C-alpha cells in the first residue's frame, strides 16, 4: 500500500486541491472565490513536479504494464491541464459574479457553481492520472469513470444556454452506454482469464495464444472492451456524441473534452493492448489477428469519417470535433504498430508524443475561439446572462489583421494540426507513419496519408480565413473577451507549438524513454517486447 | 602512395568540444528577436528595439572575440540539443539526426567575427538612419535585422548541412522582408519578389546537394563527413590521378552545392536580383547585400572544399563563372548613374573575384577578399546611404557634386575615399593585397584556361578602379551642386520627418548632414578598412593572417605540410580527370617557394602582380580623373569638369555609339531572361492552365467531391437525436464485431 502511494502523490495532490476548491468556491467573498482556478493550476503544477520525480520500480508492484509511461503521461496531463484550467478560469458564474459586483443580486451560495466546476475539473484530471497508474481492470474502470463523470456535469453547467444542457444529457446517457460496453468487456476478460490484474491477464493470454489461441470469452471481452473504450477517444462507431457535445459545451470545456477523455482512452488502450502483447501475427510483432483487424477497421473508419464530416462543417467547434475524431484515428495507427526499438519504429511512443502535441495545439485553437465573444451578453429564459463565443468560421475572417495575436495563434495551431512540415504537428505525425511502415501496415499508412491530405482541406480554411480574407460583417460582431487568460492560452498554444518544434528532439526522447522497458522480470511483460519471437515457447513451457 | 593533405590532417585534427558559452553567439541575436517581438506586441513606439538589437549584437560580438581568443586553431563542436533524431537503425545512412550544434573552427570564426562585428556597427548606423520610421516600421526593421544575424550565424556556425540549409533559408527570408521593407513602393515589392524567386533556383540546387550528400555519405555532419573514409578515399584517388574512380554521384554533389552558392552570392546567371535588392534600406544593403549574406555562397564552397576537390568540373566552372560575372558586372557598373547600383554591381563583380579566387585553389585569396571586401564595401554603402539620407533619396551622380567641400560631409567624403581606394586596389590598401593574391594565383594555377581568366580579371581590376573613382570624382569633388531626390516631399522613404528639410517659403532644399552615430560608424569602419591591410603582414609566409587562420580548417587545401610528397606530383596529361586537380602539386611547391606551375612573363607571379595590378588600378583611376575629375584637380589636362552633370566622358560616350546605352541597360539581361524564361513560362502556364481547368480540375473535383459525398452520406447519422445515437452506437458495435469475427475466425 505504501509503495503504491509512493507514486500516487500527483493524484493525492490533486485530490487535496479538489477538497480545498470545493470549500473555497462557496466563500461569500468574491476575491476568495476567484482563487479557485489559481489553486487548481498550482496543484496541477505541483502534481506535474511530483510526476516527474516518480521513478517506478518493479518492487513497488503497483505500476501498470508500461512503467516508464507513468511519469511522462502524468507530466503531460499536468502541463496541458494547466493550459485548460487557464482557459476554464471565469467560464462559469460570470453573469452571477457581475450582478453580485453590481449589487443587483445578493450572495446566494446555491446559485454559484464555480466550486463544483473546478473541483470536478480536478476530479477528472485525478481520474486521468489514475488511468495511467492502473494495474488492474477494476482500477482502470474506476479511473476511466472518474475521468468522465465530472465532465458530464461540467458540460451541463458551462453556459446558461439550453444547448449545454442538451449536450450534457446526451453525453451522460451515451457515456453510460459506452461505460456499460467496456465494463461488460472487462467482465468477460475476467471470465476468460480468471484475473483482473493486467500482468496476470497478460500471462494468461500468452499461454492461451501459445495453445489453441484466445478462448472465446477472452476474445469477446477484449473486442468489446476496445470498442467500449472507443467512446472515450471518439472512435467509430462510438463517435456519434462528439460533434453535438463539443458544440453545446462552452468552448473552454470543449477544449478539455478534446484532450482529457481522449488521453484517458488512449492510456487505457495502451494498457489493454500491452496486456495482450504485440508478439503475434505473421511478423511476430503484431497484436493477435482479430484484435488487429478490429483496431484496423476502427482506425480507417475513424479517420476517414472524421475528416469527411469535418469538411462539411461551417461551425468551427463542430469542425474541430470531427477533426478530433480523425486525430484519434491517426493515433490508432500507432496502437496497431506497437512499441519498437527506436523512436521512429515505436507506435506507442508516437501516440504518447502525439497526445502532447495534440493537447497543446488543439487547446490553442479552441482558446482562439473562446477568446472571441459576442459584443453583448444575452439573457436566457431562466434569467441568466449568456456570453456567446464565436462558433461560425465567418468569425475568424481577417482575424490576423484585426486581432494579430489571436489570428496568428489560430494560423500556427491549425498548420500544426494539419501536420505542416517544420511544425510540431509534423514531427508528431511522422512517427505514426514510420512506425506503421515498420510494422508492415502499409495499406493503413496509405489511408493515413490520404486522410492527412483530406484534412488539409479544412485546416487550410482555418489558416486562410484569418490570414488572407477581409473581415466580413459577421466577424465585426465579435470582440476579444475581457477574460485575459483566454487570449493568453491562445498565445501560449502558438508559442508552445513553435517551442515544441524547436525542442522536438528532447521531447521525442522523453516519449521514447516512456515506452522503453526499464525493468526486467518474467512477470513484467514489457521487458520482453524487444525479443518477441523467443517469448512464446518458454512461456508455453511453463 | 601519395598522402593526401586532408588524410594527413584528418589524423591529427580531432574534433573537440567547445565550451557552452559559445552558444551565446547565436542565441543573443535570437534574444533580440524575441525582445523586439515583445516590443511589437506591446506596440512600443520608442527607439527601444534599436538599442535591444545593438546591445545583443554587441554582446554576441564580444563573445565571438572571446571564442576567437580561446578557441582559434582548434576544431570544436558544441551541441545545444538534439533537434530531432529519426534514425531507424545503426547502419551508415540510417541515422537521420539533426543537432542544433555548432562547429567552431577558424573558418567559421572568421565569418562569425565579421558578421557580428559589422552587424553591431551597422545596427548603430541604422538606429539613426531609420529614425524617421520610429513607431511605424522601426520595430519590424530591427526584428528582421536581428533575425537575419541569427540566421546568418546558424549558417556559418551550424555543425551540419541541415542547419546550414535552415540558416540559408532564414537569411533568404530576412533578405526578402528587408528588401520589401518599404512595402508601399511597387519597385521594392517587385525587387523583393525577384530576389526571392531567383534565390529559389539556387536554393533548389543546395537542397538537392544536401540530400545527395546524405544519400551518398550517410551523414550531414561536417565532423563525420570530412573524416569519413569514403571522402578521404575519393580525395586520395584524385590525388593519384584516378579521378574516374570517384562515383558520378559524389561529383554531382559539388555541382549542386555550387548552384546554390551562385544563387545566394549573385553569380552569373543568377546575379540579376542583387542590383534590384538595393530598394531596401541602405543599412540592409550594406550588411546583407554587400558584406555578409552574399558571401554565404563562398562560405559554402570554402566549408565544403573537400567535396569540391573530388569533383572534376565544379571548381573550373566556379572559376569561369566567377570571372565572367566579375567582367560582366564591371561593364554594367561603368555605365550606371545611380551610385548605389554602381556599388551593387561592384559587389557582384567582387564576389566574382572571390569565387575565382576560391576556384584557383587559393581559398586564402578568396576568403581574404571576403573579409577585406566586407569592411570596405560596407563602408562604401554606408557612405552612399549617408548621401541618400541627406539628399532625400538622391543617388544620381549627375545631380550631386562637390560634397567634399560641404560642411558636415567631411567624414563621409574621407570614408568614401578610403573605400574607393580599397575597391580600386590602390597599392598598400587591404583590397590591393587580397585582390593581388587572387590575380597571381590565376597565373600560378594550371587549369582550363586559367591564365586567360587571369588577364580578364586584371582588365576587370582596371575597370573597377575606373567606375569606383568615377563615383568619387563626380559626387565628392568639383563644384558644390546638388538636387534633392524625390523623397523630400515626404513620400515614402526618409525625409518625411524633418531630415531633409524643404524650406517651403523659399523653395530651397537643405541637405541634412549625418549625425553623430552615422559619423562614428563611418569613422570606425574607415579605420578598420585601413587597418585591414595590416592583416597581410601578420604572417607573410602564409599569405597573411587569413592564410594563417585557414591553415587550421578544412578550407585549407593548398599549403600543406607535406611539400615533399606534393612536389613529386607530376601532371599526367593523359589522365583527363586529373587535370583539374594537379593544382595541388603546383600550388604546394609554390607555397614551398619551389618551381612555379605558372608564371607571368616568366617571373614570379606574386611579385609581378604587385606591380602589374597597381598599374592597372592606377590607370583606371587616371582615366576616371581625366574623364570625371573636377577642373583644377592636378592640371588642365586632368579633370576639367565644372558642372555636376557634364564631363569629358559624355564626348567619349557619344563616339562609342550605342554601347554605353546597352551597358546602362545592363546588356538587356533582364529583358533577355524575360524573353527566354518568363514569356515562354507564361505561355506554358496558360496552356497548363487550360489543361488544368479542363482535365485536372475535373478529376480533382471528382476526388474532392468524394470525401464530401462520403460526408453527406454519413451526415444523416448525426441527427442529434439521442436514442438514434444510442441505437447507432450499439448497432455499430454489433456490426463491427460481426465483421471482425467473421473475417478472422
Amino acid at each position: 500500500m505504501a509503495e503504491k502511494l509512493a507514486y500516487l502523490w500527483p493524484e493525492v495532490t490533486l485530490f487535496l486541491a479538489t477538497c480545498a476548491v470545493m470549500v473555497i468556491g462557496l466563500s461569500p467573498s468574491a476575491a476568495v472565490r476567484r482563487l479557485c482556478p489559481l489553486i487548481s493550476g498550482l496543484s496541477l503544477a505541483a502534481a506535474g513536479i511530483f510526476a516527474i520525480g516518480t521513478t517506478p520500480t518493479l518492487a513497488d508492484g503497483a505500476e501498470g504494464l508500461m512503467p516508464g509511461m507513468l511519469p511522462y503521461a502524468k507530466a503531460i496531463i499536468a502541463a496541458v491541464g494547466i493550459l485548460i484550467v487557464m482557459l476554464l478560469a471565469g467560464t462559469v458564474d460570470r453573469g452571477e459574479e457581475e450582478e453580485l459586483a453590481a449589487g443587483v443580486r445578493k450572495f446566494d451560495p446555491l446559485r454559484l457553481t464555480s466550486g463544483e466546476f473546478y473541483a470536478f475539473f480536478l476530479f477528472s484530471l485525478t481520474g486521468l492520472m489514475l488511468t495511467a497508474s492502473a494495474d488492474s481492470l477494476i482500477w482502470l474502470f474506476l479511473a476511466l469513470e472518474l475521468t468522465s463523470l465530472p465532465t458530464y456535469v461540467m458540460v451541463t453547467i458551462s453556459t446558461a444556454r439550453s444547448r449545454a444542457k442538451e449536450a450534457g444529457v446526451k453525453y451522460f446517457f451515451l457515456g453510460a452506454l459506452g461505460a456499460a460496453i467496456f465494463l461488460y468487456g472487462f467482465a468477460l476478460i475476467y471470465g476468460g482469464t480468471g484475473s483482473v490484474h493486467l500482468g496476470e491477464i497478460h500471462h494468461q493470454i500468452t499461454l492461451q495464444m501459445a495453445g489453441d489461441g484466445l478462448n472465446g470469452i477472452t476474445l469477446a471481452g477484449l473486442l468489446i472492451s476496445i470498442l467500449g473504450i472507443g467512446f472515450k477517444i471518439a472512435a467509430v462507431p462510438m463517435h456519434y456524441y462528439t460533434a453535438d457535445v463539443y458544440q453545446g459545451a462552452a468552448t473552454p470545456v470543449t477544449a478539455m473534452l478534446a484532450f482529457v477523455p481522449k488521453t484517458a482512452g488512449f492510456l487505457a488502450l495502451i494498457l489493454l493492448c500491452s496486456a495482450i502483447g504485440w508478439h503475434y501475427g505473421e511478423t511476430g510483432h503484431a497484436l493477435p489477428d482479430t484484435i488487429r483487424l478490429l483496431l484496423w477497421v476502427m482506425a480507417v473508419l475513424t479517420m476517414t469519417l472524421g475528416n469527411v464530416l469535418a469538411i462539411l462543417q461551417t461551425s468551427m467547434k463542430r469542425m474541430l470535433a470531427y477533426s478530433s475524431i480523425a486525430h484519434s484515428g491517426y493515433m490508432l495507427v500507432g496502437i496497431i504498430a506497437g512499441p519498437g526499438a527506436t523512436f521512429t519504429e515505436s507506435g506507442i511512443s508516437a501516440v504518447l508524443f502525439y497526445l502532447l502535441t495534440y493537447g497543446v495545439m488543439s487547446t490553442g485553437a479552441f482558446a482562439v475561439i473562446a477568446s472571441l465573444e459576442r459584443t453583448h451578453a444575452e439573457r436566457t429564459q431562466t434569467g441568466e446572462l449568456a456570453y456567446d463565443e464565436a462558433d461560425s468560421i465567418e468569425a475568424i475572417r481577417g482575424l490576423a489583421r484585426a486581432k494579430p495575436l489571436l489570428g496568428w495563434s489560430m494560423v500556427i495551431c491549425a498548420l500544426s494540426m494539419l501536420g505542416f512540415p517544420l511544425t510540431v504537428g509534423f514531427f508528431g505525425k511522422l512517427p505514426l507513419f514510420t512506425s506503421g511502415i515498420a510494422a508492415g501496415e502499409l495499406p493503413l499508412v496509405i489511408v493515413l496519408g490520404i486522410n492527412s491530405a483530406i484534412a488539409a482541406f479544412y485546416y487550410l480554411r482555418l489558416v486562410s480565413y484569418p490570414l488572407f480574407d477581409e473581415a466580413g460583417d459577421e466577424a465585426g460582431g465579435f470582440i476579444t473577451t475581457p477574460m485575459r487568460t483566454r487570449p493568453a492560452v491562445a498565445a501560449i498554444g502558438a508559442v508552445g507549438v513553435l517551442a515544441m518544434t524547436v525542442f522536438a528532439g528532447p521531447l521525442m526522447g522523453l516519449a521514447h524513454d516512456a515506452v522503453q522497458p526499464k525493468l526486467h522480470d518474467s512477470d513484467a511483460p514489457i521487458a520482453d517486447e524487444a525479443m518477441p519471437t523467443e517469448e512464446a515457447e518458454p512461456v508455453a513451457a511453463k | 602512395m601519395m598522402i593526401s593533405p586532408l588524410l594527413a590532417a584528418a589524423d591529427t585534427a580531432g574534433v573537440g568540444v567547445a565550451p557552452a558559452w559559445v552558444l551565446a553567439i547565436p542565441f543573443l541575436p535570437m534574444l533580440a528577436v524575441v525582445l523586439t517581438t515583445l516590443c511589437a506586441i506591446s506596440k512600443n513606439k520608442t527607439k527601444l528595439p534599436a538599442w535591444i538589437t545593438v546591445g545583443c549584437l554587441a554582446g554576441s560580438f564580444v563573445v565571438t572575440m572571446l571564442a576567437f581568443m580561446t578557441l582559434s586553431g582548434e576544431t570544436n563542436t558544441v551541441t545545444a540539443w538534439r533537434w530531432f533524431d529519426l534514425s531507424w537503425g545503426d547502419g551508415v545512412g540510417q541515422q537521420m539526426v539533426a543537432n542544433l550544434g555548432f562547429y567552431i573552427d577558424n573558418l567559421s570564426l572568421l565569418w562569425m567575427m565579421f558578421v557580428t562585428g559589422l552587424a553591431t556597427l551597422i545596427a548603430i548606423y541604422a538606429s539613426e538612419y531609420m529614425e524617421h520610421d520610429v513607431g511605424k516600421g522601426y520595430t519590424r526593421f530591427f526584428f528582421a535585422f536581428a533575425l537575419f544575424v541569427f540566421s546568418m550565424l546558424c549558417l556559418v556556425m551550424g555543425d551540419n548541412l541541415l542547419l546550414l540549409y535552415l540558416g540559408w533559408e532564414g537569411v533568404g527570408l530576412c533578405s526578402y522582408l528587408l528588401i520589401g521593407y518599404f512595402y508601399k513602393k511597387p519597385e521594392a515589392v517587385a525587387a523583393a519578389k525577384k530576389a526571392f524567386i531567383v534565390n529559389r533556383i539556387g536554393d533548389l540546387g543546395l537542397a538537392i546537394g544536401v540530400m545527395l550528400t546524405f544519400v551518398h555519405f550517410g551523414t550531414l555532419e561536417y565532423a563525420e563527413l570530412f573524416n569519413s573514409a569514403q571522402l578521404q578515399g575519393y580525395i586520395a584517388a584524385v590525388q593519384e590521378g584516378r579521378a574516374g574512380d570517384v562515383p558520378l554521384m559524389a561529383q554531382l554533389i559539388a555541382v549542386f552545392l555550387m548552384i546554390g552558392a551562385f544563387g545566394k552570392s549573385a553569380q552569373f546567371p543568377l546575379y540579376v536580383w542583387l542590383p534590384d535588392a538595393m530598394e531596401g534600406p541602405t543599412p540592409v544593403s550594406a550588411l546583407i547585400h554587400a558584406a555578409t549574406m552574399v558571401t554565404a555562397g563562398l562560405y559554402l564552397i570554402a566549408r565544403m572544399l573537400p567535396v569540391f576537390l573530388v569533383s572534376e568540373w565544379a571548381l573550373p566552372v566556379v572559376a569561369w563563372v566567377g570571372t565572367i560575372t566579375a567582367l560582366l558586372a564591371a561593364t554594367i557598373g561603368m555605365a550606371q548613374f545611380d551610385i548605389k547600383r554602381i556599388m551593387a554591381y561592384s559587389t557582384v563583380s567582387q564576389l566574382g573575384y572571390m569565387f575565382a579566387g576560391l576556384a584557383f585553389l587559393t581559398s586564402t585569396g578568396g576568403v581574404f577578399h571576403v573579409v577585406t571586401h566586407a569592411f570596405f564595401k560596407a563602408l562604401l554603402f554606408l557612405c552612399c546611404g549617408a548621401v541618400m539620407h541627406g539628399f532625400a533619396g538622391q543617388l544620381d551622380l549627375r545631380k550631386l557634386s562637390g560634397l567634399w567641400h560641404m560642411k558636415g560631409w567631411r567624414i563621409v567624403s574621407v570614408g568614401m575615399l578610403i573605400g574607393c581606394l580599397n575597391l580600386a586596389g590602390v597599392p598598400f590598401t587591404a583590397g590591393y593585397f587580397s585582390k593581388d593574391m587572387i590575380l597571381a594565383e590565376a597565373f600560378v594555377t594550371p587549369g582550363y584556361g586559367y591564365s586567360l581568366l587571369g588577364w580578364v580579371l586584371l582588365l576587370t581590376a582596371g575597370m573597377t578602379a575606373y567606375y569606383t573613382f568615377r563615383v568619387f570624382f563626380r559626387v565628392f569633388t568639383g563644384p558644390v551642386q546638388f538636387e534633392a531626390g524625390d523623397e523630400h516631399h515626404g513620400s515614402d522613404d526618409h525625409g518625411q520627418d524633418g531630415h531633409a528639410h524643404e524650406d517651403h517659403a523659399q523653395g530651397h532644399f537643405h541637405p541634412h548632414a549625418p549625425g553623430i552615430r552615422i559619423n562614428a560608424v563611418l569613422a570606425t569602419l574607415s579605420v578598420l578598412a585601413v587597418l585591414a591591410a595590416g592583416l597581410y603582414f601578420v604572417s607573410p609566409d602564409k599569405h597573411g593572417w587569413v592564410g594563417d587562420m585557414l591553415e587550421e580548417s578544412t578550407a585549407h587545401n593548398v599549403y600543406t605540410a607535406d611539400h615533399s610528397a606534393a612536389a613529386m606530383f607530376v601532371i599526367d596529361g593523359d589522365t583527363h580527370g586529373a587535370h583539374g586537380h594537379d593544382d595541388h602539386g603546383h600550388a604546394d611547391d609554390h607555397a614551398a617557394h619551389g618551381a612555379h606551375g605558372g608564371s607571368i612573363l616568366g617571373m614570379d607571379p606574386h611579385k609581378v602582380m604587385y606591380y602589374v595590378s597597381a598599374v592597372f588600378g592606377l590607370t583606371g583611376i587616371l582615366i576616371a580623373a581625366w574623364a570625371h575629375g573636377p577642373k583644377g584637380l592636378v592640371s588642365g589636362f586632368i579633370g576639367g569638369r565644372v558642372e555636376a552633370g557634364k564631363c569629358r566622358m559624355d564626348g567619349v560616350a557619344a563616339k562609342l555609339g550605342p554601347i554605353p546605352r546597352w551597358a546602362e541597360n545592363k546588356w538587356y539581361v533582364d529583358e533577355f531572361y524575360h524573353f527566354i524564361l518568363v514569356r515562354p513560362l507564361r505561355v506554358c502556364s496558360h496552356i497548363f492552365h487550360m489543361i488544368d481547368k479542363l482535365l485536372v480540375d475535373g478529376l480533382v473535383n471528382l476526388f474532392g467531391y468524394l470525401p464530401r459525398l462520403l460526408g453527406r452520406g454519413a451526415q444523416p447519422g448525426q441527427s442529434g437525436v439521442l436514442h438514434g445515437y444510442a441505437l447507432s452506437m450499439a448497432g455499430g458495435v454489433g456490426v463491427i464485431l460481426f465483421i471482425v469475427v467473421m473475417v478472422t475466425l
Side-chain angles (χ1 to χ4, degrees), chain A residues 170 173-174 177 181 219 223-224 227 231 237-240 244 289-290 293-294 301 304-305 308-309 311-312 322 342 344-345 422 427 430 454 457 501-506 508, chain B residues 41 81-89 100 166 704 706-708 710-712 714-715 717-722 725-726 728-730 732-733 736-737 739-741 743-745:
Chain A
K170 273 182 194 164
F173 276 108
L174 298 174
L177 178 67
I181 291 176
L219 183 62
L223 293 176
I224 291 173
L227 278 164
F231 180 86
M238 311 294 278
H239 68 284
Y240 284 96
D244 290 9
D289 281 342
T290 320
L293 185 68
L294 172 71
L301 288 180
T304 311
L305 210 69
V308 296
L309 282 170
I311 288 181
L312 299 175
Y322 286 116
T342 64
T344 42
E345 288 166 339
L422 290 190
F427 288 128
L430 192 68
I454 298 176
F457 199 82
T501 309
V502 175
F503 294 101
M508 285 171 170
Chain B
I41 289 174
W81 64 82
R82 181 154 289 194
W83 185 26
F84 58 78
D85 175 358
L86 298 175
S87 307
W88 57 94
L100 207 75
L166 279 180
L706 213 64
R708 281 173 173 276
L710 271 175
R712 288 262 151 69
Q715 213 170 18
Q718 299 289 340
S719 59
V721 183
L722 180 57
Y725 283 176
S728 308
M729 281 161 69
V733 169
I736 287 185
L737 274 181
I739 293 172
V740 168
V741 171
V743 169
T744 51
L745 295 184

Side-chain angles (χ1 to χ4, degrees), chain A residues 56-58 63-70 198-200 202-203 206 269-280 337-341 346-349 352 511-532 535 539:
Chain A
T57 56
L58 187 67
E63 74 281 350
L65 294 174
M66 293 253 174
M69 192 172 82
L70 248 163
L198 290 172
E200 183 59 25
H202 175 76
H203 188 59
T206 318
L269 268 184
I270 290 172
L271 290 174
L272 209 56
C273 289
S274 65
I276 302 166
W278 287 268
H279 317 150
Y280 312 104
S346 171
I348 302 301
S349 13
L352 290 178
H512 181 53
D513 293 344
V515 177
Q516 288 312 298
K518 288 189 181 134
L519 320 160
H520 248 285
D521 189 280
S522 59
D523 285 340
I526 189 68
D528 298 316
E529 297 291 359
M531 31 193 161
E535 213 223 4
V539 176

